[in-house]
Amino acid sequence: LGRDGHTAPSERIVMGQIGSGDHGSGWNMDRMFANEDQQVLAVCDVDSNHLAHAETKVNKHYSSKLGSDYRCKAYSDFRDLVNDKDIDAVHVGTPDHWHVIAALAALKAGKHVICEKPLSLTLSEGRILADVAKQSGKVFQTASENRSIESYIRMVELVKAGVFGEIKHVKILLPPSNRHRQAVDPTLGKPPSGLDYEMWQGQATEMPYCESRVHYNFRWHLAYSGGVITDWGAHMIDLAHWATGNELTGPVEIEGKGEFPPRDGIWNTATSFKVNYRYPSGLTTELFTDAPGLKFEGTNGWILSRGWRGPVKSNRPELLETVLPEEKRLRRPRTDGQGGEHMDFSDAIKEGRQAYAPAEIGHRTISVAHLGNIAMQLGRRLRWDPDQEKFADGDAAATAMLRREQREPWTIDNVDSWINVG
Ligand SMILES: NC(=O)C1=CN([C@@H]2O[C@H](COP(=O)(O)OP(=O)(O)OC[C@H]3O[C@@H](n4cnc5c(N)ncnc54)[C@H](OP(=O)(O)O)[C@@H]3O)[C@@H](O)[C@H]2O)C=CC1
Ligand SMILES: O=C1CO[C@H](CO)[C@@H](O)[C@@H]1O
């Protein structure tokens, strides 16, 4: 499957994509095309329109480069894609409730994985994924593109180097929540032909089809996602953890308030919220709806970026010009402008190292958002042991919210049985 159409050149990573919707067949597909080390050979989607669109896009791209007989494989069941022996690595671009199960299946079938944020639907499934990824020996990348954006890398390295003194408090700003991307029908109805709605629902509780809950808007129902706190928290908490050295731990106290629509509404994730956290070191953070951004408050001044990839500012602007010694500078991943998460993923595979945001880091990041959602829903302060990943004092109500009953057959327990061995 190389340039001559026969064998895969050993230096090229053959990619399959599970979930070729908006972000999958748009941003991610284009990033994979731009990466000379990758070649897309298969796509998979439960929506036949999305599948056909992605297949056509792949064939069009490679037929001009590799010959007009290039044929992208199109699967409607991700289990067939992960069992395809021609595939080396998988991009998971499904809605959030499918991330862990699809990624686990790919890892267990021996593929490297780059998985969309937010990494998990629940904290307990995230822990399982992080452990399996570690044991697999495969490269795992949480698709955290912020780690390859120059303004964020610079902000993080200045904070890490102590230019702003000891960081005492971090403000993590997330955008307002629950909005339609496009006009969609909020009435319940029959799924359109061409959509395998049974599989789309996956592990989530069975619910009637509603156009306002699929495509972009799955984000606003707790059955499929966690709302803005997971959708955008995945980006911003990741940076806060990275800069403050908390990537492999978590908060010890969580307290928050959110405004939730009725639980049985079309959407039920918090529309606005404010959650406060305390870390083992004494660092405090607060997460609230505003505009995406971050502010690190240290004993030597503050540094802020407001707006996604917004300009970096400080009350001590001269400190932004600090020249750091080489050993304090962070590595810049290779990037095609943006999309360094894909470049770093393929470089990690080739160099035999881990990617910049392995599953453990992605899991710890999104655990903060999950804990915030639990605290908001219970409406009281929670105490958490980040080493054991357990609530202190055996808090039964909070503990019950760390996991979900998964709907058969789309359970983690069934993943092994889907993998063709040998
Ligand atoms: N890093 C970033 O900046 C961004 C990340 N994302 C992340 O990407 C993911 C996808 O988001 P988005 O593209 O907006 O969502 P879409 O709904 O547009 O795309 C998801 C696709 O996956 C399909 N799908 C659902 N279940 C399965 C399954 N079991 N197997 C194969 N395909 C399946 C969906 O089908 P159907 O068409 O029927 O829904 C859809 O085509 C999300 O997790 C989101 O957080 C998104 C945007 C930006
Ligand atoms: O991660 C993301 C960043 O950008 C999108 C909006 O433009 C989000 O909704 C998305 O999920």
Side-chain angles (χ1 to χ4, degrees):
L1 297 164
R3 287 184 189 281
D4 60 3
H6 296 295
T7 46
S10 57
E11 71 277 7
R12 209 174 266 197
I13 301 154
V14 179
M15 300 290 304
Q17 180 177 71
I18 303 173
S20 302
D22 193 16
H23 197 51
S25 72
W27 164 269
N28 285 285
M29 191 70 82
D30 292 339
R31 299 282 81 71
M32 291 191 273
F33 288 170
N35 186 338
E36 281 300 316
D37 292 332
Q38 295 183 343
Q39 181 176 323
V40 183
L41 179 66
V43 289
C44 169
D45 206 287
V46 292
D47 180 324
S48 59
N49 290 323
H50 284 178
L51 185 61
H53 168 75
E55 181 189 11
T56 305
K57 182 167 170 167
V58 173
N59 283 334
K60 192 165 168 220
H61 176 77
Y62 288 109
S63 58
S64 62
K65 296 177 81 173
L66 303 177
S68 57
D69 58 346
Y70 195 84
R71 289 287 170 272
C72 173
K73 304 187 196 189
Y75 293 112
S76 50
D77 186 325
F78 68 97
R79 294 170 293 189
D80 295 327
L81 187 145
V82 301
N83 282 309
D84 184 330
K85 300 279 180 255
D86 291 333
I87 306 290
D88 300 319
V90 170
H91 171 259
V92 178
T94 60
D96 307 354
H97 62 293
W98 264 110
H99 289 175
V100 164
I101 291 175
L104 277 176
L107 285 169
K108 287 179 179 247
K111 316 299 184 196
H112 303 287
V113 174
I114 174 165
C115 183
E116 271 311 328
K117 45 57 60 180
L119 198 50
S120 61
L121 181 68
T122 63
L123 202 142
S124 84
E125 63 164 25
R127 166 48 52 214
I128 293 169
L129 179 61
D131 289 345
V132 170
K134 221 170 288 168
Q135 287 150 16
S136 71
K138 296 289 161 189
V139 173
F140 190 100
Q141 177 78 299
T142 312
S144 293
E145 68 260 43
N146 279 354
R147 286 182 180 237
S148 56
I149 303 296
E150 177 54 33
S151 56
Y152 289 140
I153 299 174
R154 178 66 179 155
M155 182 155 88
V156 169
E157 76 182 359
L158 288 171
V159 170
K160 269 185 171 310
V163 170
F164 292 89
E166 189 189 343
I167 301 298
K168 297 286 195 187
H169 188 70
V170 187
K171 290 193 161 108
I172 304 172
L173 289 57
L174 308 180
S177 190
N178 298 19
R179 65 202 161 85
H180 277 113
R181 167 153 276 190
Q182 65 238 343
V184 285
D185 184 355
T187 54
L188 307 180
K190 275 197 160 164
S193 65
L195 169 63
D196 180 349
Y197 183 59
E198 199 290 316
M199 195 186 254
W200 188 95
Q201 293 184 89
Q203 63 163 296
T205 314
E206 184 97 45
M207 281 193 288
Y209 175 82
C210 173
E211 201 193 339
S212 288
R213 284 198 292 240
V214 296
H215 303 311
Y216 189 82
N217 294 307
F218 64 80
R219 287 162 172 78
W220 320 130
H221 198 289
L222 290 166
Y224 313 122
S225 180
V228 149
I229 196 168
T230 52
D231 193 39
W232 276 90
H235 294 298
M236 297 302 164
I237 297 164
D238 179 50
L239 292 173
H241 267 189
W242 187 20
T244 58
N246 283 304
E247 289 172 307
L248 300 177
T249 183
V252 289
E253 256 178 37
I254 308 108
E255 188 168 25
K257 277 206 169 69
E259 283 174 37
F260 287 87
R263 184 88 190 179
D264 60 356
I266 294 291
W267 295 336
N268 59 14
T269 59
T271 47
S272 66
F273 50 83
K274 186 166 178 310
V275 190
N276 289 82
Y277 301 86
R278 192 169 62 76
Y279 281 73
S281 65
L283 172 83
T284 54
T285 66
E286 61 182 306
L287 203 61
F288 54 96
T289 40
D290 180 291
L294 279 163
K295 185 179 186 189
F296 295 94
E297 298 171 357
T299 49
N300 204 27
W302 55 255
I303 179 169
L304 156 88
S305 163
R306 192 159 183 282
W308 203 12
R309 300 161 191 170
V312 177
K313 296 181 179 166
S314 171
N315 62 333
R316 306 267 318 270
E318 72 284 4
L319 294 181
L320 299 176
E321 308 307 321
T322 307
V323 178
L324 295 175
E326 198 49 41
E327 69 275 11
K328 300 244 168 175
R329 279 178 53 82
L330 292 172
R331 181 177 71 83
R332 267 62 178 166
R334 203 158 63 90
T335 168
D336 53 343
Q338 292 175 344
E341 74 279 22
H342 278 280
M343 291 289 186
D344 182 65
F345 176 62
S346 56
D347 286 351
I349 294 171
K350 295 191 134 197
E351 293 162 17
R353 60 167 169 85
Q354 254 315 330
Y356 67 43
E360 182 69 34
I361 286 183
H363 162 66
R364 293 288 185 165
T365 292
I366 212 58
S367 294
V368 175
H370 292 322
L371 291 169
N373 250 336
I374 295 172
M376 284 194 277
Q377 287 172 68
L378 291 177
R380 58 181 162 78
R381 181 179 303 183
L382 302 174
R383 297 205 303 121
W384 176 247
D385 176 343
D387 297 327
Q388 299 292 318
E389 296 193 331
K390 286 186 175 145
F391 288 104
D393 319 321
D395 187 327
T399 301
M401 295 170 84
L402 294 174
R403 65 180 299 277
R404 295 265 181 89
E405 205 60 54
Q406 298 183 311
R407 194 175 64 99
E408 289 286 345
W410 310 117
T411 69
I412 288 180
D413 287 346
N414 286 336
V415 172
D416 283 328
S417 69
W418 301 334
I419 311 304
N420 297 339
V421 277

